[in-house]
Amino acid sequence: MQQTILAIAGKPGLYKLVSRGNNNLIVEALDATHKRMPAFATDRITSLSDIAMFTETDDVPLMDVLENLKNLEGGKKASINEKKASGDELRAYFSKVLPEWDQDRVQNSHIKKLITWYNILIEAGITDFKDPEPESAD
C-alpha cells in the first residue's frame, strides 16, 4: 500500500498509482471524484513511504505517525478540524500523536497536511498504514 499512495507537489490531496505509461504514471485521486490523470516526470511525485516527520532524536516514518494518529482516534477521522484550529491547538493535538516531535522544524502547515492526508486515507478506506511484520522462520 505504501508504495502506491502518492503525493504530487502543487496538487492537493493524495493519489493512488493505477498504471505506468511510457513517460508518465496514471494516478487516481483518493477523494470522492476518483478522477484519473497522468503524472509526468517533471511533477515532484513522492510515495508516502518516503516521507518522515522530524523528532528530537531520529526521523519517524510517516506511516508510523499515521498509525499513531489512527490509534489515538480509534480508526475514525481526526477529531480536530485542521482548517479552523489555531496553531496552539494543532501543536497540542500533534503532541498527543507524536510526543517527541521537533517543535522547531515541524511547522503548523505540516501538521495540517498530515491531518488532511489522514482524513483522506480514512475516507478512502485505507487504514493499514504499516506493513505486517514478517514472521521469523524458527
Side-chain angles (χ1 to χ4, degrees):
M1 183 289 300
Q2 300 175 17
Q3 300 295 328
T4 61
I5 304 299
L6 309 171
I8 302 173
K11 296 188 187 325
L14 293 173
Y15 299 86
K16 179 174 69 173
L17 176 64
V18 175
S19 170
R20 298 175 191 271
N22 287 341
N23 297 322
N24 61 12
L25 302 174
I26 305 300
V27 297
E28 180 180 300
L30 282 180
D31 60 12
T33 64
H34 296 290
K35 181 179 166 186
R36 289 187 178 191
M37 62 183 202
F40 298 95
T42 55
D43 296 324
R44 287 197 342 248
I45 303 168
T46 307
S47 170
L48 291 193
S49 62
D50 296 335
I51 300 173
M53 295 294 284
F54 298 120
T55 66
E56 297 294 339
T57 53
D58 293 330
D59 292 350
V60 175
L62 182 66
M63 291 302 163
D64 291 350
V65 179
L66 289 170
E67 186 70 24
N68 291 352
L69 187 51
K70 180 179 90 171
N71 292 337
L72 176 70
E73 296 294 350
K76 296 183 176 71
K77 288 179 64 172
S79 57
I80 189 171
N81 183 339
E82 72 277 8
K83 293 181 177 81
K84 294 182 180 176
S86 70
D88 291 337
E89 291 170 330
L90 286 171
R91 290 175 170 275
Y93 179 80
F94 195 58
S95 292
K96 295 178 199 170
V97 175
L98 191 65
E100 70 278 6
W101 64 286
D102 188 335
Q103 299 196 20
D104 294 330
R105 296 194 291 175
V106 176
Q107 305 298 315
N108 291 347
S109 61
H110 299 149
I111 300 170
K112 285 182 180 182
K113 186 177 286 191
L114 171 79
I115 295 169
T116 301
W117 285 357
Y118 170 78
N119 287 337
I120 289 170
L121 291 169
I122 293 298
E123 286 176 8
I126 299 169
T127 57
D128 295 329
F129 299 124
K130 296 179 80 169
D131 286 334
E133 297 292 324
E135 294 184 22
S136 60
D138 286 339

